[in-house]
Amino acid sequence: MKKPVISLEGSTIVLLIADATFTTSFHFLSTWLQNDDQTLFGTADGKNFWDYVADEVNFKSIFYEAMITDFELIASVLIEDCNELSKGLKSLVDVGGSTGTMARAIGTAFPDTKCTVFDLPLVVDNLVGTNNLDFFGGNMFEAIPPPNAVLLKGGKVIIIDVAIENQTKGKETMETQLCFDMLMATFLKGKEQTGFNHYKITPNLGLWSLIEAYP
Ligand SMILES: C[S@@+](CC[C@H](N)C(=O)[O-])C[C@H]1O[C@@H](n2cnc3c(N)ncnc32)[C@H](O)[C@@H]1O
């Protein structure tokens, strides 16, 4: 698979996190620190982040475009450098797999692996699969589709995320990872990953790492 070339200026993920939707929320920081709202985003916009994405057509397109661009790059590196991972893998579910960039790339590179993309109905409902790729809409906090049980039974949980403790990549990378961490903490009640040292971490996906967790 040919690696896409992405410049910093053109990187949709950079444009996304610099979008006013994110930056203006920080004007409400002092209010949020003094109220009981779960997220800064909730204080600034009055709604949950994913509801906002669903309602705001322009932001929704910037958001999912950024996911596609970012994950095209990550998929190409993953397939080239980590193809050991897919050995014997009959099926996989990409949870929060968005419009299927990653699963489509894996399905094309490994035709014997059946890939299911699981994401919110508003994201996947109109998407069309292929012979080894399908889409399943739902809420991961309520139910995970049956093929995921196969994936877990197969013995592998693969996480692609920012692993902050990996400080070998230099100051700029660390700063960008911390910027993501700040966005996760204020927008989604989450955080980037720390404390995964007991899993195998391969930090070869730019800002992201491949984290292999085995049940
Ligand atoms: C940061 S994006 C991940 C990008 C994605 N892995 C890709 O390949 O482009 C997070 C994804 O999780 C999805 N998501 C958010 N809440 C969800 C939920 N409760 N259940 C399922 N998917 C969810 C979003 O729609 C979004 O596509």
Side-chain angles (χ1 to χ4, degrees):
M1 189 180 185
K2 194 165 172 286
K3 280 187 192 179
V5 178
I6 296 174
S7 69
L8 185 64
E9 297 77 33
S11 169
T12 50
I13 198 85
V14 174
L15 297 178
L16 174 69
I17 63 175
D19 188 86
T21 300
F22 288 113
T23 54
T24 53
S25 290
F26 285 96
H27 296 172
F28 294 81
L29 201 50
S30 64
T31 310
W32 180 55
L33 290 172
Q34 297 173 77
N35 70 23
D36 293 329
D37 290 351
Q38 293 199 312
T39 62
L40 171 65
F41 194 79
T43 296
D45 283 82
K47 56 173 90 160
N48 159 304
F49 179 72
W50 297 113
D51 289 339
Y52 180 88
V53 174
D55 293 344
E56 297 294 325
V57 178
N58 285 344
F59 184 71
K60 182 178 164 194
S61 101
I62 298 174
F63 181 84
Y64 286 105
E65 188 52 42
M67 293 305 114
I68 290 170
T69 313
D70 214 37
F71 274 77
E72 268 175 358
L73 185 64
I74 292 174
S76 67
V77 179
L78 185 76
I79 288 164
E80 216 163 274
D81 296 358
C82 313
N83 61 6
E84 281 291 305
L85 268 181
S86 67
K87 282 202 177 132
L89 203 59
K90 293 207 168 10
S91 69
L92 70 83
V93 179
D94 188 357
V95 180
S98 209
T99 50
T101 309
M102 176 69 78
R104 211 177 282 279
I106 292 175
T108 304
F110 308 107
D112 294 334
T113 304
K114 167 124 181 53
C115 303
T116 300
V117 177
F118 181 69
D119 206 293
L120 296 169
L122 79 105
V123 180
V124 295
D125 269 358
N126 295 319
L127 299 178
V128 178
T130 65
N131 61 332
N132 68 337
L133 171 75
D134 60 13
F135 293 91
F136 196 102
N139 180 347
M140 68 173 134
F141 298 113
E142 289 169 5
I144 301 281
N148 199 44
V150 178
L151 174 68
L152 290 173
K153 216 160 104 195
K156 266 185 195 178
V157 176
I158 302 161
I159 302 161
I160 296 172
D161 213 334
V162 171
I164 293 220
E165 65 262 60
N166 169 44
Q167 296 189 22
T168 56
K169 293 182 180 175
K171 186 168 171 284
E172 281 82 6
T173 301
M174 185 69 181
E175 282 173 355
T176 314
Q177 289 180 328
L178 290 173
C179 175
F180 272 94
D181 192 38
M182 193 171 63
L183 291 177
M184 293 302 144
T186 50
F187 283 66
L188 294 170
K189 294 186 293 174
K191 61 177 196 165
E192 296 302 4
Q193 308 305 325
T194 55
F196 267 173
N197 293 339
H198 48 300
Y199 296 139
K200 182 178 171 199
I201 299 182
T202 313
N204 62 344
L205 305 175
L207 293 173
W208 313 84
S209 289
L210 183 77
I211 302 159
E212 293 172 64
Y214 298 94

